[in-house]
Amino acid sequence: MQINTDLLQKLNAAATRNIDSYLQKMLTASAEHGNFGMQMLDHLHEQLPRTSCDDCGKCCNSVSIFSLEYHRVIREIMITWKPERLRRLVQAIFRLELRQTEIGKDERRRRCIFRDDETRVCLVHPVRPFACRIFGLLKSDGKRECDRVKDLRTPETIITEDYLISLQEKVLENSESYQPFPGEEEIHFFPFEFWFFRHIFSPERSLQIYREILVPMSSPLTRLWHKHAGPTT
């Protein structure tokens, strides 16, 4: 899949002209969403084991999240971040190409917008999504995705696939879903940037950005949707 560079350039140009308007739309959408589902989401997140690691950041790439998790993050930074910092965040979201990185041969990732590589911290760690919380948890086969991750409690907790599904099913009922490509079933999880563009533009525009920029920038997403590698409309 090839990145639509014309669309990427148009996004950058639009951000230059309308950054304050987009910031306001981002904040307004999550403010209007309100506290719906937030307490439930926090409770579900707390059901997962707490872990620690050495903060190497290798796993801190863009992940797919639920719309409810997107609003949880935005509502958190609305309270804790100053206006200028929020403005810089919106500017950084539009500069997607600056966060693209290569991991090995022909393996592409897009770094997480909330990873600060200088201080080696997650800027939204208390409200990080499921995808981040479950990475490295001890599985039923006794293995982890990353050996640097350690449980804070002993004995270590084994997390089964069925248990994770049962937790996330409750979030599915309270999250938006869209058809990623024609002919595919609707899904509930998209990258953070998709949800951002969905609220400042439209679902149709954000799906175009997903198909023509976000997917080609990510090897895992490209492999997931490889059968749609031809031109999109």
Side-chain angles (χ1 to χ4, degrees):
M1 291 183 172
Q2 297 297 316
I3 297 172
N4 185 335
T5 55
D6 289 340
L7 178 58
L8 188 60
Q9 291 174 359
K10 289 179 181 178
L11 287 177
N12 289 335
T16 301
R17 297 190 305 267
N18 305 304
I19 192 69
D20 292 320
S21 173
Y22 295 153
L23 171 59
Q24 188 59 45
K25 287 184 177 182
M26 178 188 79
L27 299 177
T28 299
S30 290
E32 291 179 346
H33 181 276
N35 289 320
F36 174 76
M38 299 300 167
Q39 186 175 2
M40 176 201 68
L41 180 62
D42 289 344
H43 176 71
L44 294 175
H45 282 166
E46 290 171 0
Q47 304 309 302
L48 294 170
R50 295 190 177 186
T51 59
S52 65
C53 67
D54 61 7
D55 296 318
C56 71
K58 290 183 178 180
C59 65
C60 296
N61 300 305
S62 179
V63 295
S64 293
I65 65 176
F66 299 105
S67 62
L68 192 60
E69 293 181 308
Y70 167 83
H71 288 300
R72 183 68 183 92
V73 170
I74 298 299
R75 289 181 65 81
E76 175 72 12
I77 63 177
M78 284 171 60
I79 299 171
T80 58
W81 288 21
K82 295 181 178 180
E84 185 53 36
R85 191 180 188 187
L86 291 169
R87 195 172 189 272
R88 290 198 301 270
L89 171 68
V90 174
Q91 291 173 325
I93 292 173
F94 275 91
R95 297 306 305 272
L96 294 162
E97 73 281 3
L98 297 182
R99 288 185 287 115
Q100 188 172 13
T101 186
E102 299 286 333
I103 302 178
K105 184 179 180 181
D106 299 326
E107 190 69 15
R108 302 177 305 281
R109 294 289 192 280
R110 193 175 60 263
R111 295 294 285 166
C112 177
I113 192 74
F114 295 109
R115 167 69 181 185
D116 188 327
D117 284 322
E118 290 188 9
T119 59
R120 298 177 62 178
V121 298
C122 170
L123 301 177
V124 292
H125 193 267
V127 293
R128 66 197 186 282
F130 269 111
C132 301
R133 293 172 186 269
I134 66 177
F135 183 81
L137 293 182
L138 188 63
K139 298 181 179 180
S140 54
D141 61 3
K143 298 180 180 179
R144 297 178 185 272
E145 294 166 297
C146 179
D147 292 335
R148 294 185 175 93
V149 178
K150 305 295 181 184
D151 282 19
L152 292 178
R153 293 183 299 180
T154 55
E156 295 178 317
T157 305
I158 295 177
I159 299 298
T160 65
E161 192 71 23
D162 288 342
Y163 180 68
L164 291 177
I165 291 174
S166 69
L167 290 181
Q168 295 182 60
E169 279 181 344
K170 299 175 182 178
V171 182
L172 290 176
E173 299 171 359
N174 298 280
S175 294
E176 298 178 49
S177 63
Y178 293 97
Q179 186 182 43
F181 285 88
E184 297 290 345
E185 294 184 1
E186 291 190 356
I187 60 175
H188 293 78
F189 42 90
F190 290 90
F192 175 88
E193 295 89 348
F194 168 86
W195 296 115
F196 170 81
F197 291 126
R198 177 258 179 272
H199 290 291
I200 68 166
F201 293 141
S202 67
E204 293 75 18
R205 186 66 162 172
S206 61
L207 284 168
Q208 181 190 14
I209 295 170
Y210 177 74
R211 296 164 183 161
E212 300 180 16
I213 297 178
L214 299 180
V215 170
M217 279 187 168
S218 166
S219 292
L221 289 179
T222 299
R223 286 191 290 270
L224 179 63
W225 305 116
H226 68 278
K227 66 180 179 180
H228 299 283
T232 58
T233 57

PDB file of all heavy atoms in Angstrom, residues 24-36 38 67 70-76 78 199:
ATOM      1  N   GLN A  24     -10.381  23.506  18.942  1.00  0.00           N
ATOM      2  CA  GLN A  24     -11.681  23.726  19.568  1.00  0.00           C
ATOM      3  C   GLN A  24     -12.642  22.584  19.267  1.00  0.00           C
ATOM      4  O   GLN A  24     -13.396  22.138  20.138  1.00  0.00           O
ATOM      5  CB  GLN A  24     -12.272  25.051  19.083  1.00  0.00           C
ATOM      6  CG  GLN A  24     -13.531  25.470  19.832  1.00  0.00           C
ATOM      7  CD  GLN A  24     -13.287  25.637  21.319  1.00  0.00           C
ATOM      8  OE1 GLN A  24     -12.298  26.238  21.731  1.00  0.00           O
ATOM      9  NE2 GLN A  24     -14.164  25.084  22.141  1.00  0.00           N
ATOM     10  N   LYS A  25     -12.622  22.088  18.038  1.00  0.00           N
ATOM     11  CA  LYS A  25     -13.497  20.967  17.675  1.00  0.00           C
ATOM     12  C   LYS A  25     -13.137  19.714  18.460  1.00  0.00           C
ATOM     13  O   LYS A  25     -14.020  18.969  18.898  1.00  0.00           O
ATOM     14  CB  LYS A  25     -13.401  20.695  16.173  1.00  0.00           C
ATOM     15  CG  LYS A  25     -14.099  21.728  15.307  1.00  0.00           C
ATOM     16  CD  LYS A  25     -14.034  21.331  13.836  1.00  0.00           C
ATOM     17  CE  LYS A  25     -14.786  22.332  12.968  1.00  0.00           C
ATOM     18  NZ  LYS A  25     -14.769  21.937  11.533  1.00  0.00           N
ATOM     19  N   MET A  26     -11.843  19.464  18.629  1.00  0.00           N
ATOM     20  CA  MET A  26     -11.400  18.299  19.393  1.00  0.00           C
ATOM     21  C   MET A  26     -11.915  18.362  20.825  1.00  0.00           C
ATOM     22  O   MET A  26     -12.473  17.391  21.352  1.00  0.00           O
ATOM     23  CB  MET A  26      -9.872  18.226  19.393  1.00  0.00           C
ATOM     24  CG  MET A  26      -9.300  17.073  20.204  1.00  0.00           C
ATOM     25  SD  MET A  26      -7.490  17.143  20.391  1.00  0.00           S
ATOM     26  CE  MET A  26      -7.349  18.387  21.709  1.00  0.00           C
ATOM     27  N   LEU A  27     -11.750  19.512  21.453  1.00  0.00           N
ATOM     28  CA  LEU A  27     -12.161  19.670  22.844  1.00  0.00           C
ATOM     29  C   LEU A  27     -13.680  19.637  22.989  1.00  0.00           C
ATOM     30  O   LEU A  27     -14.214  19.026  23.920  1.00  0.00           O
ATOM     31  CB  LEU A  27     -11.608  20.980  23.405  1.00  0.00           C
ATOM     32  CG  LEU A  27     -10.079  21.107  23.429  1.00  0.00           C
ATOM     33  CD1 LEU A  27      -9.670  22.480  23.946  1.00  0.00           C
ATOM     34  CD2 LEU A  27      -9.454  20.014  24.269  1.00  0.00           C
ATOM     35  N   THR A  28     -14.368  20.276  22.060  1.00  0.00           N
ATOM     36  CA  THR A  28     -15.828  20.332  22.134  1.00  0.00           C
ATOM     37  C   THR A  28     -16.453  18.951  22.000  1.00  0.00           C
ATOM     38  O   THR A  28     -17.392  18.602  22.726  1.00  0.00           O
ATOM     39  CB  THR A  28     -16.385  21.257  21.037  1.00  0.00           C
ATOM     40  OG1 THR A  28     -15.881  22.578  21.235  1.00  0.00           O
ATOM     41  CG2 THR A  28     -17.909  21.290  21.074  1.00  0.00           C
ATOM     42  N   ALA A  29     -15.927  18.140  21.079  1.00  0.00           N
ATOM     43  CA  ALA A  29     -16.489  16.803  20.858  1.00  0.00           C
ATOM     44  C   ALA A  29     -16.414  15.954  22.116  1.00  0.00           C
ATOM     45  O   ALA A  29     -17.380  15.271  22.485  1.00  0.00           O
ATOM     46  CB  ALA A  29     -15.758  16.116  19.708  1.00  0.00           C
ATOM     47  N   SER A  30     -15.282  15.990  22.802  1.00  0.00           N
ATOM     48  CA  SER A  30     -15.145  15.177  24.009  1.00  0.00           C
ATOM     49  C   SER A  30     -15.884  15.790  25.191  1.00  0.00           C
ATOM     50  O   SER A  30     -16.370  15.067  26.068  1.00  0.00           O
ATOM     51  CB  SER A  30     -13.661  14.984  24.347  1.00  0.00           C
ATOM     52  OG  SER A  30     -13.045  14.133  23.399  1.00  0.00           O
ATOM     53  N   ALA A  31     -15.985  17.112  25.213  1.00  0.00           N
ATOM     54  CA  ALA A  31     -16.768  17.758  26.267  1.00  0.00           C
ATOM     55  C   ALA A  31     -18.239  17.388  26.127  1.00  0.00           C
ATOM     56  O   ALA A  31     -18.928  17.099  27.115  1.00  0.00           O
ATOM     57  CB  ALA A  31     -16.586  19.268  26.202  1.00  0.00           C
ATOM     58  N   GLU A  32     -18.735  17.387  24.892  1.00  0.00           N
ATOM     59  CA  GLU A  32     -20.131  17.034  24.651  1.00  0.00           C
ATOM     60  C   GLU A  32     -20.394  15.551  24.893  1.00  0.00           C
ATOM     61  O   GLU A  32     -21.506  15.164  25.248  1.00  0.00           O
ATOM     62  CB  GLU A  32     -20.517  17.411  23.222  1.00  0.00           C
ATOM     63  CG  GLU A  32     -20.572  18.921  22.990  1.00  0.00           C
ATOM     64  CD  GLU A  32     -20.934  19.281  21.564  1.00  0.00           C
ATOM     65  OE1 GLU A  32     -20.884  18.370  20.697  1.00  0.00           O
ATOM     66  OE2 GLU A  32     -21.257  20.457  21.316  1.00  0.00           O
ATOM     67  N   HIS A  33     -19.371  14.733  24.687  1.00  0.00           N
ATOM     68  CA  HIS A  33     -19.523  13.308  24.986  1.00  0.00           C
ATOM     69  C   HIS A  33     -19.800  13.109  26.469  1.00  0.00           C
ATOM     70  O   HIS A  33     -20.555  12.206  26.862  1.00  0.00           O
ATOM     71  CB  HIS A  33     -18.257  12.546  24.583  1.00  0.00           C
ATOM     72  CG  HIS A  33     -18.327  11.071  24.841  1.00  0.00           C
ATOM     73  ND1 HIS A  33     -18.047  10.513  26.068  1.00  0.00           N
ATOM     74  CD2 HIS A  33     -18.663  10.037  24.031  1.00  0.00           C
ATOM     75  CE1 HIS A  33     -18.194   9.203  26.003  1.00  0.00           C
ATOM     76  NE2 HIS A  33     -18.562   8.890  24.782  1.00  0.00           N
ATOM     77  N   GLY A  34     -19.210  13.956  27.289  1.00  0.00           N
ATOM     78  CA  GLY A  34     -19.459  13.910  28.724  1.00  0.00           C
ATOM     79  C   GLY A  34     -18.793  12.726  29.404  1.00  0.00           C
ATOM     80  O   GLY A  34     -17.861  12.115  28.880  1.00  0.00           O
ATOM     81  N   ASN A  35     -19.304  12.385  30.576  1.00  0.00           N
ATOM     82  CA  ASN A  35     -18.730  11.308  31.378  1.00  0.00           C
ATOM     83  C   ASN A  35     -19.289   9.939  31.033  1.00  0.00           C
ATOM     84  O   ASN A  35     -18.986   8.956  31.717  1.00  0.00           O
ATOM     85  CB  ASN A  35     -18.975  11.586  32.870  1.00  0.00           C
ATOM     86  CG  ASN A  35     -18.132  12.738  33.373  1.00  0.00           C
ATOM     87  OD1 ASN A  35     -16.965  12.869  33.011  1.00  0.00           O
ATOM     88  ND2 ASN A  35     -18.723  13.589  34.203  1.00  0.00           N
ATOM     89  N   PHE A  36     -20.103   9.875  29.981  1.00  0.00           N
ATOM     90  CA  PHE A  36     -20.741   8.611  29.613  1.00  0.00           C
ATOM     91  C   PHE A  36     -19.709   7.498  29.431  1.00  0.00           C
ATOM     92  O   PHE A  36     -18.802   7.606  28.612  1.00  0.00           O
ATOM     93  CB  PHE A  36     -21.534   8.778  28.316  1.00  0.00           C
ATOM     94  CG  PHE A  36     -22.099   7.491  27.782  1.00  0.00           C
ATOM     95  CD1 PHE A  36     -23.210   6.911  28.369  1.00  0.00           C
ATOM     96  CD2 PHE A  36     -21.504   6.850  26.704  1.00  0.00           C
ATOM     97  CE1 PHE A  36     -23.728   5.719  27.882  1.00  0.00           C
ATOM     98  CE2 PHE A  36     -22.012   5.661  26.211  1.00  0.00           C
ATOM     99  CZ  PHE A  36     -23.129   5.092  26.802  1.00  0.00           C
ATOM    100  N   MET A  38     -17.239   6.569  31.214  1.00  0.00           N
ATOM    101  CA  MET A  38     -15.885   6.766  31.726  1.00  0.00           C
ATOM    102  C   MET A  38     -15.623   5.968  33.005  1.00  0.00           C
ATOM    103  O   MET A  38     -14.571   5.354  33.166  1.00  0.00           O
ATOM    104  CB  MET A  38     -15.625   8.252  31.980  1.00  0.00           C
ATOM    105  CG  MET A  38     -15.723   9.119  30.745  1.00  0.00           C
ATOM    106  SD  MET A  38     -14.540   8.617  29.472  1.00  0.00           S
ATOM    107  CE  MET A  38     -15.150   9.525  28.060  1.00  0.00           C
ATOM    108  N   SER A  67     -13.422   4.218  20.649  1.00  0.00           N
ATOM    109  CA  SER A  67     -13.790   5.636  20.700  1.00  0.00           C
ATOM    110  C   SER A  67     -13.951   6.110  22.139  1.00  0.00           C
ATOM    111  O   SER A  67     -13.629   7.257  22.474  1.00  0.00           O
ATOM    112  CB  SER A  67     -15.086   5.885  19.920  1.00  0.00           C
ATOM    113  OG  SER A  67     -16.178   5.165  20.479  1.00  0.00           O
ATOM    114  N   TYR A  70     -10.622   7.000  23.388  1.00  0.00           N
ATOM    115  CA  TYR A  70     -10.187   8.283  22.816  1.00  0.00           C
ATOM    116  C   TYR A  70     -10.732   9.437  23.653  1.00  0.00           C
ATOM    117  O   TYR A  70      -9.987  10.344  24.049  1.00  0.00           O
ATOM    118  CB  TYR A  70     -10.677   8.406  21.374  1.00  0.00           C
ATOM    119  CG  TYR A  70     -10.551   9.806  20.815  1.00  0.00           C
ATOM    120  CD1 TYR A  70      -9.349  10.259  20.282  1.00  0.00           C
ATOM    121  CD2 TYR A  70     -11.639  10.684  20.844  1.00  0.00           C
ATOM    122  CE1 TYR A  70      -9.225  11.549  19.786  1.00  0.00           C
ATOM    123  CE2 TYR A  70     -11.526  11.973  20.349  1.00  0.00           C
ATOM    124  CZ  TYR A  70     -10.323  12.402  19.823  1.00  0.00           C
ATOM    125  OH  TYR A  70     -10.202  13.688  19.337  1.00  0.00           O
ATOM    126  N   HIS A  71     -12.028   9.414  23.937  1.00  0.00           N
ATOM    127  CA  HIS A  71     -12.628  10.496  24.723  1.00  0.00           C
ATOM    128  C   HIS A  71     -12.061  10.533  26.144  1.00  0.00           C
ATOM    129  O   HIS A  71     -11.917  11.613  26.725  1.00  0.00           O
ATOM    130  CB  HIS A  71     -14.144  10.337  24.758  1.00  0.00           C
ATOM    131  CG  HIS A  71     -14.818  10.652  23.466  1.00  0.00           C
ATOM    132  ND1 HIS A  71     -14.727  11.887  22.863  1.00  0.00           N
ATOM    133  CD2 HIS A  71     -15.599   9.884  22.643  1.00  0.00           C
ATOM    134  CE1 HIS A  71     -15.426  11.882  21.733  1.00  0.00           C
ATOM    135  NE2 HIS A  71     -15.950  10.693  21.577  1.00  0.00           N
ATOM    136  N   ARG A  72     -11.729   9.360  26.677  1.00  0.00           N
ATOM    137  CA  ARG A  72     -11.156   9.329  28.033  1.00  0.00           C
ATOM    138  C   ARG A  72      -9.821  10.075  28.053  1.00  0.00           C
ATOM    139  O   ARG A  72      -9.535  10.835  28.995  1.00  0.00           O
ATOM    140  CB  ARG A  72     -10.953   7.878  28.484  1.00  0.00           C
ATOM    141  CG  ARG A  72     -10.414   7.752  29.915  1.00  0.00           C
ATOM    142  CD  ARG A  72     -11.453   8.207  30.914  1.00  0.00           C
ATOM    143  NE  ARG A  72     -10.967   8.182  32.290  1.00  0.00           N
ATOM    144  CZ  ARG A  72     -10.391   9.217  32.902  1.00  0.00           C
ATOM    145  NH1 ARG A  72     -10.203  10.368  32.259  1.00  0.00           N
ATOM    146  NH2 ARG A  72     -10.006   9.121  34.161  1.00  0.00           N
ATOM    147  N   VAL A  73      -9.006   9.852  27.031  1.00  0.00           N
ATOM    148  CA  VAL A  73      -7.711  10.528  26.951  1.00  0.00           C
ATOM    149  C   VAL A  73      -7.898  12.035  26.786  1.00  0.00           C
ATOM    150  O   VAL A  73      -7.263  12.839  27.485  1.00  0.00           O
ATOM    151  CB  VAL A  73      -6.874   9.962  25.786  1.00  0.00           C
ATOM    152  CG1 VAL A  73      -5.642  10.829  25.538  1.00  0.00           C
ATOM    153  CG2 VAL A  73      -6.456   8.526  26.077  1.00  0.00           C
ATOM    154  N   ILE A  74      -8.774  12.432  25.858  1.00  0.00           N
ATOM    155  CA  ILE A  74      -8.976  13.858  25.607  1.00  0.00           C
ATOM    156  C   ILE A  74      -9.530  14.557  26.844  1.00  0.00           C
ATOM    157  O   ILE A  74      -9.092  15.660  27.205  1.00  0.00           O
ATOM    158  CB  ILE A  74      -9.913  14.087  24.406  1.00  0.00           C
ATOM    159  CG1 ILE A  74      -9.301  13.501  23.131  1.00  0.00           C
ATOM    160  CG2 ILE A  74     -10.191  15.576  24.222  1.00  0.00           C
ATOM    161  CD1 ILE A  74      -7.974  14.109  22.744  1.00  0.00           C
ATOM    162  N   ARG A  75     -10.469  13.929  27.520  1.00  0.00           N
ATOM    163  CA  ARG A  75     -11.047  14.555  28.709  1.00  0.00           C
ATOM    164  C   ARG A  75     -10.008  14.689  29.828  1.00  0.00           C
ATOM    165  O   ARG A  75     -10.059  15.620  30.629  1.00  0.00           O
ATOM    166  CB  ARG A  75     -12.267  13.766  29.181  1.00  0.00           C
ATOM    167  CG  ARG A  75     -13.466  13.922  28.242  1.00  0.00           C
ATOM    168  CD  ARG A  75     -14.672  13.142  28.742  1.00  0.00           C
ATOM    169  NE  ARG A  75     -15.158  13.670  30.009  1.00  0.00           N
ATOM    170  CZ  ARG A  75     -15.945  14.734  30.137  1.00  0.00           C
ATOM    171  NH1 ARG A  75     -16.328  15.411  29.065  1.00  0.00           N
ATOM    172  NH2 ARG A  75     -16.358  15.131  31.321  1.00  0.00           N
ATOM    173  N   GLU A  76      -9.055  13.777  29.865  1.00  0.00           N
ATOM    174  CA  GLU A  76      -7.983  13.871  30.861  1.00  0.00           C
ATOM    175  C   GLU A  76      -7.065  15.054  30.569  1.00  0.00           C
ATOM    176  O   GLU A  76      -6.750  15.844  31.469  1.00  0.00           O
ATOM    177  CB  GLU A  76      -7.176  12.568  30.869  1.00  0.00           C
ATOM    178  CG  GLU A  76      -5.952  12.578  31.775  1.00  0.00           C
ATOM    179  CD  GLU A  76      -6.297  12.543  33.253  1.00  0.00           C
ATOM    180  OE1 GLU A  76      -7.479  12.287  33.592  1.00  0.00           O
ATOM    181  OE2 GLU A  76      -5.389  12.769  34.073  1.00  0.00           O
ATOM    182  N   MET A  78      -7.689  17.643  28.753  1.00  0.00           N
ATOM    183  CA  MET A  78      -8.429  18.901  28.843  1.00  0.00           C
ATOM    184  C   MET A  78      -8.265  19.523  30.226  1.00  0.00           C
ATOM    185  O   MET A  78      -8.218  20.747  30.385  1.00  0.00           O
ATOM    186  CB  MET A  78      -9.929  18.662  28.582  1.00  0.00           C
ATOM    187  CG  MET A  78     -10.298  18.444  27.137  1.00  0.00           C
ATOM    188  SD  MET A  78     -12.027  17.898  26.958  1.00  0.00           S
ATOM    189  CE  MET A  78     -12.899  19.273  27.689  1.00  0.00           C
ATOM    190  N   HIS A 199     -13.721  13.540  14.453  1.00  0.00           N
ATOM    191  CA  HIS A 199     -14.446  14.596  15.163  1.00  0.00           C
ATOM    192  C   HIS A 199     -14.170  15.997  14.626  1.00  0.00           C
ATOM    193  O   HIS A 199     -14.969  16.906  14.867  1.00  0.00           O
ATOM    194  CB  HIS A 199     -14.137  14.522  16.655  1.00  0.00           C
ATOM    195  CG  HIS A 199     -14.749  13.328  17.319  1.00  0.00           C
ATOM    196  ND1 HIS A 199     -16.106  13.196  17.499  1.00  0.00           N
ATOM    197  CD2 HIS A 199     -14.192  12.189  17.811  1.00  0.00           C
ATOM    198  CE1 HIS A 199     -16.367  12.041  18.085  1.00  0.00           C
ATOM    199  NE2 HIS A 199     -15.226  11.413  18.282  1.00  0.00           N
TER     200      HIS A 199
END
